[in-house]
Amino acid sequence: MNILLESQRCLDRLLADESWPQMSQAARSVFEIRLRKEFPKLFANLFALYGHRYDFYYYLQQLLASLAQAYHERPRALKLKDKQRQVDPHWYQSEDMLGMACYVDLFAGNIKQLKAKIPYLLDLGVTYLHLMPLYDSPKGDSDGGYAVSDYRKVNEQLGTVDDLKELAKALEKAGISLVLDFVFNHTSDEHRWAKAAQAGELEYQEYFHMFDDRTIPDQYEQHLREIFPQVRRGNYTWNEKANKWVWTTFNSFQWDLNYANPAVFNAITEEMLFLANLGCEALRLDALAFIWKEMGTNCENQDKAHTLIQAFNSCLQITAPAVVFKSEAIVHPDEVLKYIAKDECQLSYNPLLMALIWESLATRNTQLLSQSMRKSFTISPDCAWVNYVRCHDDIGWTFDDEVAQNLGINGSDHRQFLNQFYTGRFEGSFASGVAFAENPSNGDCRVCGSLASLAGLEKAIQANNPQHIQHAIARILMIHSIILSIGGVPLLYSGDELGLLNDYSYQQDSSKQHDDRWVHRIGLSDQALQQASHPQSAQFAISQGLKKLISLRQEHAIFGQSATTIIDADSSHVFAFNRQNNAGEQLLVLCNFSESPQQLSSQILRSLGSQSSKNIINEQTLITNNSHIELQPYEVMWLVKN
Ligand code: OTU
């Protein structure tokens, strides 16, 4: 069969579908042009997934009708945005980009009140706002909202869908792109599909992975990881009502969707387009590594997971092309890269950079960071990294064991060391973190804690040690300086702009105490804001220092669209890289990851191509000669040609 020919023949038939909504001729023609362009790819991907089924064409027809309907419902202002983005598809590569992720309630109370916080965001320079999942979800523990009961309903505590639409408009007016979660690997057990499945409806039981006994689960289980071993062992949960085992990769109340069923693909596409039509400009694809299950594999990063995401992407290109995907693949670095492509995910979290920044802080050695970035930083020029140091989740040490091996580092021993270091069990560690998801079978764990606490501020303040406080502040600013300069969208996690410390109050809350990630999900209180306004406080130094770095980034085009090259510095404590753009501008970044001064040969400045260079952070001039340049403890230099 010739797929291209077949897809064209099929499309001609589908275009005659009379169940589509009545559109104006102009609207219909825009839709048709996009559909014709994207359809061969969409068809090929869906055919690879579902072509073997007798009902393939039925589902295809149903899908196109949904796309037409969602396009028809897409508000005019958003259609305009679609057009604007077409002429500026690489908007996320701009030096102006600065992201922030926050929980609506912790940051502002509710959605309406968040609108009043827009000036705060603007003052910081934020242009991209990721709101943690704010959909209807089970009362009590809902995995921080990642168990969705209704994608079309906002959690009552936070507001309504209308509030969210209003907020999207207000943000757009302020030049801030709204980012929402697309939690599509699973729904909550209270979603209407899951309820129907529990009531015994076969059609909906096929929306999930449900089994009468342990035979098949046990076969799968031989190859599966456990993600939250602290709450439940294994990947399945017995459901009394349905009298079946249900696949639950995460918490027992999060039911994995069955994408081998085309009805699920169609249904979730409708939910996705509903979110797109609310006015968000990026969708964060939660847990996307897990969406395709294949017996005999670990059921992560399967080829068909990519096929599915590309198919979803085509649906967006046809209906809401202003919206881009952000990949949340917190997996092996080689697998992370596979999700990043113009027709798959245009944006991706950079978990490798995140983990190795912390690794270098602990070891004071930047070799693993440098070698790993050299291997894995370059991505398609159409795409961008989302660089972060902390987020709402734990830290997992996802580096490549082979890269480590080449440096004489044993991967699993090193992970054990890092866990001990960041949970404060390693003597002399500056960090105050909490172990998370400890696996009793193999001793694995991951690390929680706020950026400031992990970087040493909590301990330093407790000990009332001014030098340690200074070091902690310098560490915090240095690691922020990396995400602000290395290339991509820097993403701050709300609270870190003020250096907030761990909040242990979750240990008293029965719906939170078993999930230590709450230690770093901290409310932005008036008290915290006040504290940060005292010039003597560490929080003041952090917030002012950070603001300065952000303004510098936004003032210089070199931080936007330009290539990144990792450089060897003649000190294993220094992380160095160069940025270079088409206009011939350059930036050299040097970061000292140790608490002792480091001397580098001034030859490193040569790459800038002039005798004299300027550190834009402190306006100091440096001369390339035969002597050395000195970096103070945890100092960063952003050097440009003078
Ligand atoms: C995501 O993370 C979210 O970021 C978490 O907050 C959710 O709990 C989870 O999905 C379920 O919705 O396990 O510890 O390998 O690490 O997708 C975080 C990828 C997680 C997973 C990641 C997941």
Side-chain angles (χ1 to χ4, degrees):
M1 183 177 104
N2 179 328
I3 285 264
L4 192 66
L5 256 182
E6 182 63 17
S7 81
Q8 265 156 14
R9 217 176 291 150
C10 173
L11 183 59
D12 287 335
R13 256 178 285 142
L14 290 168
L15 282 169
D17 187 342
E18 284 176 4
S19 74
W20 289 16
Q22 284 288 320
M23 300 182 214
S24 72
Q25 216 175 354
R28 169 89 191 202
S29 111
V30 172
F31 183 72
E32 261 193 52
I33 290 172
R34 289 204 208 127
L35 185 58
R36 285 196 186 278
K37 182 161 172 253
E38 205 61 34
F39 192 72
K41 211 167 13 176
L42 177 62
F43 182 88
N45 282 328
L46 292 176
F47 193 82
L49 293 163
Y50 310 119
H52 60 283
R53 293 179 55 122
Y54 75 92
D55 48 8
F56 175 64
Y57 288 94
Y58 163 75
Y59 283 108
L60 190 61
Q61 183 179 23
Q62 193 191 52
L63 178 70
L64 289 207
S66 300
L67 299 185
Q69 184 64 34
Y71 173 75
H72 182 59
E73 285 166 10
R74 188 158 172 80
R76 262 173 84 142
L78 299 182
K79 287 185 173 165
L80 200 69
K81 191 88 198 179
D82 291 334
K83 273 198 192 147
Q84 285 168 4
R85 290 303 193 211
Q86 248 158 4
V87 285
D88 179 23
H90 295 151
W91 56 276
Y92 38 75
Q93 294 176 347
S94 159
E95 65 276 16
D96 285 335
M97 290 301 294
L98 177 73
M100 175 167 276
C102 70
Y103 288 89
V104 173
D105 52 348
L106 295 175
F107 179 62
N110 61 35
I111 296 176
K112 277 203 172 115
Q113 288 162 329
L114 201 152
K115 214 168 131 182
K117 283 260 161 79
I118 292 178
Y120 177 82
L121 297 171
L122 288 178
D123 181 49
L124 205 59
V126 170
T127 62
Y128 161 121
L129 184 67
H130 169 214
L131 300 180
M132 301 303 297
L134 36 69
Y135 315 107
D136 184 31
S137 57
K139 296 231 151 44
D141 189 2
S142 64
D143 190 16
Y146 281 104
V148 179
S149 302
D150 188 340
Y151 298 90
R152 300 185 189 224
K153 217 173 131 198
V154 165
N155 178 336
E156 276 171 12
Q157 313 275 314
L158 305 177
T160 64
V161 165
D162 285 334
D163 294 342
L164 185 57
K165 285 185 189 160
E166 276 306 300
L167 177 68
K169 277 187 206 148
L171 288 171
E172 140 82 27
K173 218 164 132 194
I176 301 175
S177 301
L178 175 64
V179 183
L180 292 177
D181 268 279
F182 179 35
V183 189
F184 71 124
N185 174 68
H186 44 265
T187 71
S188 90
D189 58 356
E190 294 179 13
H191 191 284
R192 71 184 165 81
W193 302 335
K195 281 191 183 155
Q198 290 173 80
E201 285 186 48
L202 211 65
E203 182 187 345
Y204 288 100
Q205 292 192 343
E206 286 177 356
Y207 268 48
F208 302 95
H209 301 268
M210 301 181 89
F211 308 94
D212 293 331
D213 57 42
R214 290 287 317 184
T215 319
I216 298 173
D218 284 344
Q219 286 171 23
Y220 275 115
E221 199 82 271
Q222 284 175 26
H223 308 276
L224 301 178
R225 273 204 291 161
E226 293 177 282
I227 307 296
F228 292 154
Q230 85 283 13
V231 290
R232 188 208 59 240
R233 303 311 307 272
N235 282 261
Y236 299 86
T237 302
W238 175 252
N239 184 268
E240 283 293 341
K241 282 192 203 144
N243 222 9
K244 283 182 196 290
W245 288 97
V246 189
W247 197 316
T248 54
T249 299
F250 298 95
N251 287 287
S252 297
F253 52 81
Q254 288 164 300
W255 288 21
D256 288 44
L257 285 162
N258 174 17
Y259 282 100
N261 177 0
V264 171
F265 180 86
N266 284 5
I268 208 86
T269 299
E270 288 182 0
E271 306 308 288
M272 173 182 83
L273 295 175
F274 177 84
L275 302 181
N277 281 351
L278 290 176
C280 63
E281 295 181 42
L283 284 169
R284 171 190 181 279
L285 299 190
D286 182 60
L288 78 179
F290 297 86
I291 56 174
W292 191 267
K293 326 287 191 203
E294 196 79 54
M295 182 65 87
T297 74
N298 65 358
C299 298
E300 292 181 44
N301 309 305
Q302 298 300 302
D303 289 347
K304 286 197 172 150
H306 295 280
T307 313
L308 271 167
I309 298 162
Q310 287 168 23
F312 283 125
N313 189 311
S314 288
C315 295
L316 269 190
Q317 295 309 322
I318 294 164
T319 310
V323 184
V324 296
F325 278 155
K326 173 169 66 163
S327 158
E328 191 253 342
I330 315 300
V331 291
H332 188 280
D334 295 347
E335 299 295 339
V336 171
L337 291 173
K338 293 183 190 162
Y339 294 94
I340 309 172
K342 190 172 176 240
D343 61 2
E344 196 164 330
C345 295
Q346 298 92 331
L347 301 176
S348 168
Y349 281 100
N350 192 346
L352 185 62
L353 176 67
M354 182 278 293
L356 293 180
I357 284 177
W358 290 107
E359 187 271 344
S360 298
L361 276 184
T363 59
R364 278 76 164 171
N365 186 311
T366 60
Q367 278 173 305
L368 188 56
L369 172 63
S370 297
Q371 291 305 329
S372 305
M373 287 304 119
R374 188 163 287 144
K375 179 171 180 237
S376 309
F377 192 81
T378 307
I379 52 174
S380 153
D382 290 318
C383 299
W385 285 114
V386 173
N387 296 311
Y388 64 114
V389 226
R390 284 303 290 119
C391 69
H392 70 289
D393 275 335
D394 47 287
I395 302 176
W397 309 107
T398 57
F399 54 82
D400 182 339
D401 281 33
E402 246 176 70
V403 177
Q405 197 64 54
N406 288 338
L407 294 165
I409 298 169
N410 174 293
S412 76
D413 291 352
H414 202 51
R415 287 188 183 90
Q416 218 171 58
F417 156 71
L418 292 167
N419 281 331
Q420 292 193 341
F421 186 93
Y422 281 107
T423 53
R425 289 180 240 172
F426 187 85
E427 211 189 310
S429 162
F430 51 71
S432 311
V434 181
F436 173 66
E438 281 191 285
N439 189 323
S441 327
N442 56 20
D444 278 355
C445 80
R446 310 196 293 266
V447 170
C448 296
S450 79
L451 186 149
S453 288
L454 292 176
L457 190 60
E458 187 172 325
K459 272 198 184 158
I461 290 178
Q462 265 163 13
N464 200 8
N465 182 327
Q467 196 201 19
H468 287 184
I469 293 177
Q470 282 320 310
H471 281 164
I473 295 171
R475 270 185 212 113
I476 293 168
L477 290 175
M478 181 184 73
I479 60 184
H480 273 138
S481 84
I482 297 174
I483 61 165
L484 286 165
S485 61
I486 197 164
V489 181
L491 177 64
L492 302 175
Y493 176 61
S494 169
D496 289 343
E497 77 278 21
L498 303 177
L500 297 190
L501 301 178
N502 285 347
D503 178 354
Y504 297 96
S505 63
Y506 76 102
Q507 288 166 351
Q508 265 70 55
D509 183 333
S510 64
S511 69
K512 293 182 175 156
Q513 58 197 187
H514 59 280
D515 190 335
D516 296 291
R517 290 175 296 175
W518 287 101
V519 77
H520 55 251
R521 297 172 177 175
I522 310 163
L524 187 75
S525 63
D526 291 341
Q527 197 197 346
L529 288 165
Q530 250 164 34
Q531 192 181 26
S533 65
H534 287 303
Q536 277 78 35
S537 71
Q539 283 76 8
F540 180 83
I542 292 167
S543 61
Q544 294 304 311
L546 182 61
K547 271 190 190 168
K548 181 172 171 192
L549 294 173
I550 293 168
S551 324
L552 285 171
R553 170 184 160 90
Q554 295 179 333
E555 282 160 21
H556 292 81
I558 187 71
F559 291 95
Q561 253 172 27
S562 58
T564 304
T565 313
I566 309 297
I567 295 179
D568 271 326
D570 49 3
S571 157
S572 58
H573 305 291
V574 174
F575 181 47
F577 56 87
N578 182 284
R579 305 286 310 274
Q580 186 163 17
N581 66 15
N582 287 339
E585 290 171 312
Q586 290 207 44
L587 170 79
L588 175 66
V589 176
L590 303 174
C591 305
N592 176 7
F593 271 77
S594 97
E595 53 263 87
S596 43
Q598 296 301 313
Q599 293 200 334
L600 300 179
S601 151
S602 72
Q603 295 305 314
I604 197 163
L605 304 173
R606 282 244 158 128
S607 66
L608 290 173
S610 91
Q611 276 300 308
S612 142
S613 27
K614 187 175 78 180
N615 177 1
I616 59 174
I617 297 176
N618 61 9
E619 298 281 328
Q620 241 172 37
T621 299
L622 298 179
I623 307 290
T624 315
N625 51 25
N626 292 327
S627 71
H628 290 90
I629 52 174
E630 189 167 88
L631 285 152
Q632 294 312 304
Y634 299 114
E635 191 186 21
V636 185
M637 291 185 182
W638 280 354
L639 299 159
V640 296
K641 206 172 176 172
N642 216 351

